[in-house]
Amino acid sequence: MTVTATTDTAAKTPMGVSSLTGAPREYLSFKLGAEEYGIDILKVQEIRGYENPTRIANAPHFIKGVVNLRGVIVPIIDMRLRFGLPEAQYNSFTVVIILNIAHRTVGMVVDSVSDVLELPAETIKPAPEFHGAIDAAYITGLGTIKNGDVERMLILMDIEQMMTAPDMGLMDTDTMMH
């Protein structure tokens, strides 16, 4: 099963501009365990069902392997393992979010994808300082989503900064210096 989410980057507001103007931004929300996260929809190329990747020798434990996506070799990162969570059983809800990060295609395995949400700037609060599964440097804020009387929090991540971090081992210095 392939669900394709296409984005027209030319028609969207650049990342830094929307926070200055207060324009709402769209986030893809996904779950890892009990937590719900959000990433900038402009980084998402498509969403695919999970398929077993080809293992790569000596890769970090959180890199499950690689898949061939229409002729492009894509590394697949298990976000549960990356965040130090218990390994999940892959099921029909498990998906791979294909990202375009720093001119490179990367896939990340998550428990499930929830929605594409539009969050106005006033619903996003700065992330508190804490020591959790995710380095606080990768958290851009906490979004509040109201659905009737029910309110839920969305942990907003800077997925590009996280995926290009040296400890991920995904980007070489030439790619990052473009």
Side-chain angles (χ1 to χ4, degrees):
M1 171 188 109
T2 300
V3 178
T4 303
T6 58
T7 55
D8 179 9
T9 54
K12 301 283 183 179
T13 307
M15 268 184 69
V17 176
S18 63
S19 59
L20 297 174
T21 62
R25 293 186 38 201
E26 290 185 331
Y27 295 89
L28 177 67
S29 66
F30 62 89
K31 290 200 171 209
L32 285 175
E35 302 298 329
E36 191 171 10
Y37 297 87
I39 57 173
D40 187 341
I41 192 69
L42 297 179
K43 303 293 180 197
V44 177
Q45 176 179 314
E46 64 185 276
I47 300 165
R48 303 173 54 85
Y50 181 78
E51 59 184 81
N52 280 324
T54 303
R55 286 285 303 150
I56 301 293
N58 300 320
H61 73 285
F62 53 83
I63 297 182
K64 298 298 283 184
V66 295
V67 296
N68 185 338
L69 180 64
R70 295 181 293 280
V72 177
I73 302 302
V74 179
I76 304 296
I77 288 82
D78 188 316
M79 296 305 281
R80 281 182 150 275
L81 298 177
R82 175 65 178 89
F83 293 161
L85 299 172
E87 193 165 357
Q89 296 299 317
Y90 299 135
N91 59 34
S92 61
F93 295 108
T94 306
V95 295
V96 176
I97 301 171
I98 305 295
L99 304 166
N100 280 317
I101 304 288
H103 306 290
R104 178 116 190 245
T105 305
V106 178
M108 65 182 209
V109 180
V110 299
D111 293 348
S112 64
V113 170
S114 306
D115 296 303
V116 174
L117 301 166
E118 187 174 275
L119 294 178
E122 63 271 9
T123 65
I124 300 173
K125 305 295 181 229
E129 291 294 322
F130 63 90
H131 298 289
I134 308 174
D135 186 334
Y138 305 135
I139 298 176
T140 59
L142 298 172
T144 305
I145 301 117
K146 287 186 179 181
N147 191 359
D149 290 340
V150 179
E151 193 174 279
R152 67 186 210 253
M153 296 296 286
L154 188 66
I155 302 166
L156 303 176
M157 295 176 49
D158 184 340
I159 197 66
E160 183 156 3
Q161 185 175 348
M162 178 183 200
M163 291 294 184
T164 57
D167 66 333
M168 291 296 285
L170 295 173
M171 305 290 164
D172 55 61
T173 53
D174 295 339
T175 305
M176 293 180 64
M177 297 294 188
H178 67 276

Short mmCIF file of all heavy atoms in Angstrom, two decimals, residues 130-178:
data_model
loop_
_atom_site.label_atom_id
_atom_site.label_comp_id
_atom_site.label_asym_id
_atom_site.label_seq_id
_atom_site.Cartn_x
_atom_site.Cartn_y
_atom_site.Cartn_z
N PHE A 130 14.29 19.69 29.03
CA PHE A 130 14.18 18.41 29.71
C PHE A 130 15.12 17.41 29.08
O PHE A 130 15.62 17.63 27.99
CB PHE A 130 12.73 17.88 29.68
CG PHE A 130 12.23 17.59 28.30
CD1 PHE A 130 12.38 16.35 27.71
CD2 PHE A 130 11.60 18.59 27.56
CE1 PHE A 130 11.93 16.11 26.43
CE2 PHE A 130 11.14 18.35 26.28
CZ PHE A 130 11.30 17.10 25.72
N HIS A 131 15.36 16.32 29.79
CA HIS A 131 16.21 15.25 29.27
C HIS A 131 15.31 14.06 29.01
O HIS A 131 14.94 13.35 29.93
CB HIS A 131 17.31 14.90 30.26
CG HIS A 131 18.22 16.05 30.52
ND1 HIS A 131 19.11 16.51 29.57
CD2 HIS A 131 18.37 16.87 31.60
CE1 HIS A 131 19.77 17.54 30.05
NE2 HIS A 131 19.35 17.78 31.28
N GLY A 132 14.94 13.85 27.76
CA GLY A 132 14.05 12.75 27.41
C GLY A 132 14.67 11.90 26.32
O GLY A 132 15.87 11.94 26.07
N ALA A 133 13.82 11.13 25.68
CA ALA A 133 14.27 10.22 24.62
C ALA A 133 14.83 11.00 23.43
O ALA A 133 15.72 10.54 22.74
CB ALA A 133 13.12 9.33 24.17
N ILE A 134 14.30 12.21 23.21
CA ILE A 134 14.74 13.02 22.08
C ILE A 134 15.56 14.17 22.62
O ILE A 134 15.18 14.81 23.59
CB ILE A 134 13.54 13.62 21.33
CG1 ILE A 134 12.53 12.55 20.96
CG2 ILE A 134 13.97 14.37 20.11
CD1 ILE A 134 11.29 13.11 20.36
N ASP A 135 16.67 14.44 21.97
CA ASP A 135 17.47 15.61 22.31
C ASP A 135 16.59 16.85 22.15
O ASP A 135 15.95 17.04 21.12
CB ASP A 135 18.68 15.66 21.37
CG ASP A 135 19.66 16.75 21.72
OD1 ASP A 135 19.27 17.77 22.34
OD2 ASP A 135 20.84 16.59 21.38
N ALA A 136 16.55 17.69 23.16
CA ALA A 136 15.70 18.89 23.14
C ALA A 136 16.04 19.81 21.97
O ALA A 136 15.18 20.58 21.53
CB ALA A 136 15.81 19.63 24.46
N ALA A 137 17.25 19.72 21.43
CA ALA A 137 17.63 20.56 20.29
C ALA A 137 16.79 20.23 19.05
O ALA A 137 16.67 21.06 18.15
CB ALA A 137 19.10 20.37 19.97
N TYR A 138 16.21 19.04 18.99
CA TYR A 138 15.42 18.63 17.83
C TYR A 138 13.93 18.93 18.00
O TYR A 138 13.15 18.67 17.10
CB TYR A 138 15.60 17.14 17.55
CG TYR A 138 17.04 16.73 17.38
CD1 TYR A 138 17.54 15.59 18.00
CD2 TYR A 138 17.91 17.48 16.61
CE1 TYR A 138 18.86 15.22 17.85
CE2 TYR A 138 19.24 17.11 16.45
CZ TYR A 138 19.71 15.98 17.07
OH TYR A 138 21.01 15.61 16.92
N ILE A 139 13.55 19.46 19.14
CA ILE A 139 12.14 19.79 19.39
C ILE A 139 11.94 21.28 19.19
O ILE A 139 12.59 22.09 19.86
CB ILE A 139 11.71 19.35 20.81
CG1 ILE A 139 11.86 17.84 20.94
CG2 ILE A 139 10.28 19.80 21.09
CD1 ILE A 139 11.55 17.31 22.32
N THR A 140 11.06 21.64 18.27
CA THR A 140 10.83 23.06 17.97
C THR A 140 9.71 23.64 18.81
O THR A 140 9.61 24.85 18.93
CB THR A 140 10.51 23.26 16.48
OG1 THR A 140 9.36 22.50 16.15
CG2 THR A 140 11.68 22.84 15.61
N GLY A 141 8.87 22.81 19.39
CA GLY A 141 7.78 23.31 20.22
C GLY A 141 6.77 22.23 20.49
O GLY A 141 6.92 21.08 20.08
N LEU A 142 5.74 22.61 21.23
CA LEU A 142 4.63 21.72 21.55
C LEU A 142 3.36 22.35 21.00
O LEU A 142 3.03 23.49 21.34
CB LEU A 142 4.51 21.52 23.06
CG LEU A 142 5.72 20.87 23.72
CD1 LEU A 142 5.58 20.90 25.24
CD2 LEU A 142 5.91 19.45 23.24
N GLY A 143 2.68 21.61 20.14
CA GLY A 143 1.44 22.10 19.57
C GLY A 143 0.25 21.55 20.32
O GLY A 143 0.26 20.41 20.77
N THR A 144 -0.78 22.39 20.48
CA THR A 144 -2.00 21.98 21.16
C THR A 144 -3.09 21.82 20.12
O THR A 144 -3.36 22.76 19.35
CB THR A 144 -2.42 23.02 22.20
OG1 THR A 144 -1.34 23.24 23.09
CG2 THR A 144 -3.63 22.55 22.98
N ILE A 145 -3.69 20.64 20.09
CA ILE A 145 -4.77 20.37 19.15
C ILE A 145 -6.04 20.15 19.95
O ILE A 145 -6.06 19.30 20.85
CB ILE A 145 -4.48 19.12 18.29
CG1 ILE A 145 -3.19 19.34 17.50
CG2 ILE A 145 -5.62 18.84 17.32
CD1 ILE A 145 -2.14 18.39 17.85
N LYS A 146 -7.08 20.93 19.65
CA LYS A 146 -8.36 20.77 20.35
C LYS A 146 -9.35 20.12 19.40
O LYS A 146 -9.47 20.50 18.24
CB LYS A 146 -8.90 22.13 20.80
CG LYS A 146 -8.16 22.71 21.96
CD LYS A 146 -8.82 23.97 22.46
CE LYS A 146 -8.05 24.50 23.65
NZ LYS A 146 -8.65 25.70 24.20
N ASN A 147 -10.05 19.11 19.93
CA ASN A 147 -11.10 18.44 19.19
C ASN A 147 -12.29 18.37 20.13
O ASN A 147 -12.39 17.46 20.94
CB ASN A 147 -10.63 17.05 18.75
CG ASN A 147 -11.58 16.42 17.75
OD1 ASN A 147 -12.59 17.02 17.40
ND2 ASN A 147 -11.25 15.23 17.31
N GLY A 148 -13.16 19.37 20.06
CA GLY A 148 -14.26 19.46 21.02
C GLY A 148 -13.69 19.82 22.38
O GLY A 148 -12.97 20.80 22.53
N ASP A 149 -14.00 19.00 23.40
CA ASP A 149 -13.48 19.23 24.75
C ASP A 149 -12.15 18.54 24.98
O ASP A 149 -11.52 18.72 26.00
CB ASP A 149 -14.49 18.73 25.80
CG ASP A 149 -15.73 19.60 25.85
OD1 ASP A 149 -15.65 20.76 25.38
OD2 ASP A 149 -16.76 19.13 26.34
N VAL A 150 -11.74 17.71 24.02
CA VAL A 150 -10.51 16.94 24.17
C VAL A 150 -9.33 17.76 23.61
O VAL A 150 -9.41 18.31 22.52
CB VAL A 150 -10.61 15.59 23.43
CG1 VAL A 150 -9.33 14.80 23.56
CG2 VAL A 150 -11.80 14.79 23.95
N GLU A 151 -8.26 17.81 24.39
CA GLU A 151 -7.06 18.53 23.97
C GLU A 151 -5.89 17.55 24.01
O GLU A 151 -5.77 16.77 24.94
CB GLU A 151 -6.80 19.68 24.96
CG GLU A 151 -5.80 20.67 24.49
CD GLU A 151 -5.71 21.86 25.44
OE1 GLU A 151 -6.56 22.76 25.34
OE2 GLU A 151 -4.80 21.85 26.28
N ARG A 152 -5.06 17.59 22.98
CA ARG A 152 -3.88 16.73 22.98
C ARG A 152 -2.66 17.52 22.56
O ARG A 152 -2.77 18.55 21.88
CB ARG A 152 -4.10 15.50 22.09
CG ARG A 152 -4.22 15.76 20.62
CD ARG A 152 -4.57 14.47 19.87
NE ARG A 152 -4.04 14.45 18.54
CZ ARG A 152 -4.77 14.60 17.44
NH1 ARG A 152 -6.07 14.77 17.52
NH2 ARG A 152 -4.19 14.56 16.27
N MET A 153 -1.51 17.02 23.00
CA MET A 153 -0.25 17.69 22.71
C MET A 153 0.46 16.98 21.56
O MET A 153 0.45 15.76 21.47
CB MET A 153 0.67 17.69 23.93
CG MET A 153 0.13 18.45 25.11
SD MET A 153 -0.05 20.20 24.78
CE MET A 153 1.64 20.73 24.83
N LEU A 154 1.11 17.75 20.73
CA LEU A 154 1.88 17.24 19.62
C LEU A 154 3.31 17.75 19.78
O LEU A 154 3.53 18.96 19.89
CB LEU A 154 1.27 17.77 18.31
CG LEU A 154 1.77 17.23 17.00
CD1 LEU A 154 1.42 15.75 16.85
CD2 LEU A 154 1.16 18.01 15.84
N ILE A 155 4.28 16.85 19.86
CA ILE A 155 5.68 17.23 19.98
C ILE A 155 6.19 17.54 18.58
O ILE A 155 6.24 16.66 17.73
CB ILE A 155 6.50 16.09 20.62
CG1 ILE A 155 5.95 15.74 22.00
CG2 ILE A 155 7.98 16.49 20.70
CD1 ILE A 155 6.48 14.43 22.56
N LEU A 156 6.53 18.80 18.35
CA LEU A 156 6.96 19.23 17.02
C LEU A 156 8.47 19.11 16.91
O LEU A 156 9.21 19.65 17.72
CB LEU A 156 6.51 20.67 16.76
CG LEU A 156 5.00 20.90 16.90
CD1 LEU A 156 4.67 22.37 16.73
CD2 LEU A 156 4.23 20.04 15.92
N MET A 157 8.90 18.38 15.88
CA MET A 157 10.33 18.08 15.71
C MET A 157 10.91 18.79 14.49
O MET A 157 10.23 18.93 13.48
CB MET A 157 10.52 16.58 15.49
CG MET A 157 10.15 15.72 16.65
SD MET A 157 10.30 13.97 16.26
CE MET A 157 11.92 13.87 15.53
N ASP A 158 12.17 19.17 14.61
CA ASP A 158 12.93 19.64 13.46
C ASP A 158 13.60 18.40 12.87
O ASP A 158 14.72 18.05 13.23
CB ASP A 158 13.97 20.68 13.89
CG ASP A 158 14.72 21.26 12.71
OD1 ASP A 158 14.73 20.61 11.62
OD2 ASP A 158 15.30 22.34 12.85
N ILE A 159 12.87 17.72 12.01
CA ILE A 159 13.33 16.43 11.49
C ILE A 159 14.58 16.59 10.63
O ILE A 159 15.43 15.70 10.61
CB ILE A 159 12.19 15.69 10.74
CG1 ILE A 159 12.52 14.22 10.57
CG2 ILE A 159 11.86 16.36 9.42
CD1 ILE A 159 12.59 13.43 11.85
N GLU A 160 14.73 17.71 9.95
CA GLU A 160 15.92 17.91 9.12
C GLU A 160 17.16 18.02 10.00
O GLU A 160 18.19 17.40 9.73
CB GLU A 160 15.79 19.14 8.23
CG GLU A 160 16.99 19.31 7.33
CD GLU A 160 16.71 20.12 6.08
OE1 GLU A 160 15.59 20.62 5.90
OE2 GLU A 160 17.63 20.22 5.27
N GLN A 161 17.09 18.79 11.07
CA GLN A 161 18.24 18.93 11.97
C GLN A 161 18.60 17.57 12.58
O GLN A 161 19.77 17.22 12.69
CB GLN A 161 17.93 19.94 13.06
CG GLN A 161 19.14 20.21 13.94
CD GLN A 161 18.88 21.31 14.96
OE1 GLN A 161 17.90 22.04 14.89
NE2 GLN A 161 19.77 21.42 15.92
N MET A 162 17.59 16.80 12.94
CA MET A 162 17.85 15.50 13.54
C MET A 162 18.50 14.54 12.55
O MET A 162 19.48 13.87 12.87
CB MET A 162 16.55 14.89 14.06
CG MET A 162 16.76 13.54 14.65
SD MET A 162 15.19 12.87 15.16
CE MET A 162 15.78 11.66 16.29
N MET A 163 17.96 14.45 11.35
CA MET A 163 18.47 13.50 10.36
C MET A 163 19.84 13.88 9.83
O MET A 163 20.59 13.03 9.36
CB MET A 163 17.49 13.35 9.19
CG MET A 163 16.21 12.66 9.57
SD MET A 163 16.50 10.94 10.02
CE MET A 163 14.83 10.38 10.27
N THR A 164 20.19 15.17 9.88
CA THR A 164 21.50 15.60 9.39
C THR A 164 22.55 15.65 10.51
O THR A 164 23.70 15.99 10.24
CB THR A 164 21.42 16.98 8.70
OG1 THR A 164 20.88 17.93 9.61
CG2 THR A 164 20.58 16.90 7.43
N ALA A 165 22.16 15.31 11.73
CA ALA A 165 23.11 15.31 12.85
C ALA A 165 24.21 14.28 12.59
O ALA A 165 23.95 13.20 12.04
CB ALA A 165 22.39 15.00 14.16
N PRO A 166 25.44 14.59 13.00
CA PRO A 166 26.55 13.66 12.76
C PRO A 166 26.33 12.26 13.34
O PRO A 166 26.74 11.28 12.73
CB PRO A 166 27.75 14.35 13.44
CG PRO A 166 27.37 15.80 13.47
CD PRO A 166 25.88 15.84 13.61
N ASP A 167 25.66 12.14 14.49
CA ASP A 167 25.47 10.82 15.10
C ASP A 167 24.52 9.93 14.31
O ASP A 167 24.47 8.72 14.53
CB ASP A 167 25.02 10.93 16.56
CG ASP A 167 23.64 11.55 16.71
OD1 ASP A 167 23.22 12.33 15.83
OD2 ASP A 167 22.97 11.25 17.73
N MET A 168 23.78 10.49 13.37
CA MET A 168 22.90 9.67 12.53
C MET A 168 23.71 8.95 11.45
O MET A 168 23.32 7.89 10.99
CB MET A 168 21.82 10.54 11.86
CG MET A 168 20.79 11.08 12.83
SD MET A 168 19.79 9.81 13.61
CE MET A 168 18.72 9.36 12.27
N GLY A 169 24.80 9.55 11.01
CA GLY A 169 25.64 8.92 10.00
C GLY A 169 25.00 8.86 8.62
O GLY A 169 25.39 8.02 7.81
N LEU A 170 24.04 9.73 8.34
CA LEU A 170 23.33 9.67 7.06
C LEU A 170 23.87 10.65 6.02
O LEU A 170 23.69 10.45 4.83
CB LEU A 170 21.84 9.97 7.27
CG LEU A 170 21.08 8.96 8.08
CD1 LEU A 170 19.67 9.48 8.36
CD2 LEU A 170 21.03 7.63 7.37
N MET A 171 24.49 11.71 6.49
CA MET A 171 24.92 12.76 5.56
C MET A 171 26.44 12.86 5.59
O MET A 171 27.04 12.86 6.66
CB MET A 171 24.35 14.12 5.96
CG MET A 171 22.85 14.14 6.10
SD MET A 171 22.07 14.00 4.50
CE MET A 171 20.41 13.57 4.98
N ASP A 172 27.02 12.96 4.41
CA ASP A 172 28.46 13.23 4.39
C ASP A 172 28.65 14.75 4.35
O ASP A 172 27.73 15.49 4.06
CB ASP A 172 29.15 12.53 3.21
CG ASP A 172 28.54 12.87 1.87
OD1 ASP A 172 28.54 14.05 1.50
OD2 ASP A 172 28.05 11.94 1.21
N THR A 173 29.84 15.19 4.66
CA THR A 173 30.08 16.63 4.75
C THR A 173 29.87 17.34 3.41
O THR A 173 29.46 18.48 3.38
CB THR A 173 31.48 16.92 5.28
OG1 THR A 173 32.43 16.20 4.48
CG2 THR A 173 31.60 16.54 6.73
N ASP A 174 30.11 16.67 2.29
CA ASP A 174 29.88 17.28 0.99
C ASP A 174 28.41 17.59 0.77
O ASP A 174 28.06 18.62 0.24
CB ASP A 174 30.37 16.37 -0.15
CG ASP A 174 31.86 16.17 -0.13
OD1 ASP A 174 32.56 17.01 0.50
OD2 ASP A 174 32.35 15.20 -0.73
N THR A 175 27.51 16.68 1.20
CA THR A 175 26.08 16.88 1.05
C THR A 175 25.62 18.08 1.85
O THR A 175 24.81 18.85 1.42
CB THR A 175 25.30 15.62 1.50
OG1 THR A 175 25.79 14.50 0.79
CG2 THR A 175 23.82 15.77 1.27
N MET A 176 26.17 18.21 3.06
CA MET A 176 25.70 19.27 3.95
C MET A 176 26.25 20.64 3.56
O MET A 176 25.66 21.65 3.88
CB MET A 176 26.08 18.93 5.38
CG MET A 176 25.32 17.71 5.85
SD MET A 176 25.70 17.26 7.51
CE MET A 176 25.11 18.68 8.38
N MET A 177 27.38 20.69 2.85
CA MET A 177 28.00 21.96 2.51
C MET A 177 27.46 22.57 1.22
O MET A 177 27.79 23.67 0.90
CB MET A 177 29.53 21.79 2.35
CG MET A 177 30.21 21.36 3.59
SD MET A 177 30.08 22.66 4.80
CE MET A 177 31.13 22.05 6.07
N HIS A 178 26.62 21.85 0.46
CA HIS A 178 26.17 22.24 -0.87
C HIS A 178 26.13 23.72 -1.11
O HIS A 178 25.82 24.59 -0.49
CB HIS A 178 24.81 21.60 -1.19
CG HIS A 178 23.67 22.11 -0.35
ND1 HIS A 178 23.41 21.60 0.89
CD2 HIS A 178 22.76 23.06 -0.57
CE1 HIS A 178 22.37 22.22 1.40
NE2 HIS A 178 21.96 23.11 0.53
#
